[in-house]
Amino acid sequence: MPTSSDVTAPDADSPGTNTAKRPPTTTGNNSPAPGASGSDRPRIVPRRHPGRLLSAAVALLLCAMLVNSVVRNKAFQWDVVGRCFTTTAVLDGLLLTLWLTGAVMVLGFLLGTVLAVMRLSANPVLRTLSWGYVWIFRSTPLLVQLLFWFNIGALYPTLGLGVPFGPQFVTVRTVNLLGPTLTAVIGLTLHETAYAAEVVRGGILSVDSGQTEAAQALGLSRRRTLRRIIVPQAMRSIVPTAGNMLIGTLKGTSIVSVLAVHDLLYSVQLVYNQTYQVIPLLMVATLWYIAVTTVLSTGQFYIERYYARGNARALPPTPLGRLWARRRPGTVVPGLK
């Protein structure tokens, strides 16, 4: 009688043996284990998105139709646009627009920072005054404010400097002191100050309260804490909104044309009032606004990237870095996955 030691397992290669073929052994990440043949490795097929291709094709078709209608429409008079684009009158108006934008933004954020600190102070009088200023100037349209300051001489024919509720040492007529350009600066600055105060206040409140507590534990004064710890961290929240305000102020300066201030829009208006070429001159102003806005948007991107250094492990890639990575796929660009 045969024992268990005399019984041998059948050979897999022997005839008459019915054995199933085992699938290749895989590891935990769904890749074949060492020794598995390459023909058994599954092929990954990317998912198709026909809707994206269709929507992109429709969008490109519409853009091509729009560009074609603008370029080939003779009513735009592109030859007139080219001749008037760099004329002296247009460039002088552009310089005044840039000067107004810069002056209003600097003065507005300086005064707005003061109002924001007043709003966050423990003094109830300062808090109330700051809130009242923001409430009044945000509730009034900009055009109404400009017209009010332009006619301020009807309320106060003279302005003086002296002792409060006492004699005045220096007096001057209001109409001689406030010209159209100075009136525009005052009106735009007071209007932007109200919005800048809320932007700065929101940025300060976005900083975690633990930062202030840590500064107090180190014995830092309130002023130094605000200047060295709170404000640098708040800039991450302030810069994007401030950049939008800057671009809005650049375009908003066109409203001063109602005061006969020779900004970019008023300059082209003077030209087309003489030549009756309204559309080409408006295109000149439009192209200049687009060019300046593009430059300001680029600067805003790099400033945001600068203040994002302590918030992200890798800085967002620049547009040139993205373009370089696409042209050379093997190039490693920081922040680009």
Side-chain angles (χ1 to χ4, degrees), residues 137 140 142-156 178 183 259:
F137 281 91
T140 311
L142 177 58
L143 181 58
V144 174
Q145 295 181 33
L146 290 175
L147 294 176
F148 179 84
W149 292 111
F150 189 72
N151 297 280
I152 193 66
L155 291 176
Y156 302 99
L178 298 178
T183 302
L259 306 181

Side-chain angles (χ1 to χ4, degrees), residues 99-183:
W99 180 83
L100 276 175
T101 303
V104 168
M105 286 300 295
V106 171
L107 295 175
F109 265 90
L110 287 177
L111 297 177
T113 303
V114 175
L115 287 178
V117 175
M118 291 171 57
R119 185 77 179 273
L120 296 174
S121 67
N123 191 326
V125 176
L126 296 182
R127 287 203 311 268
T128 304
L129 291 176
S130 176
W131 176 86
Y133 180 94
V134 173
W135 171 60
I136 291 175
F137 281 91
R138 286 203 308 177
S139 304
T140 311
L142 177 58
L143 181 58
V144 174
Q145 295 181 33
L146 290 175
L147 294 176
F148 179 84
W149 292 111
F150 189 72
N151 297 280
I152 193 66
L155 291 176
Y156 302 99
T158 60
L159 296 176
L161 180 64
V163 179
F165 307 104
Q168 296 182 349
F169 304 114
V170 179
T171 59
V172 61
R173 295 188 60 188
T174 306
V175 294
N176 297 332
L177 179 63
L178 298 178
T181 303
L182 184 57
T183 302

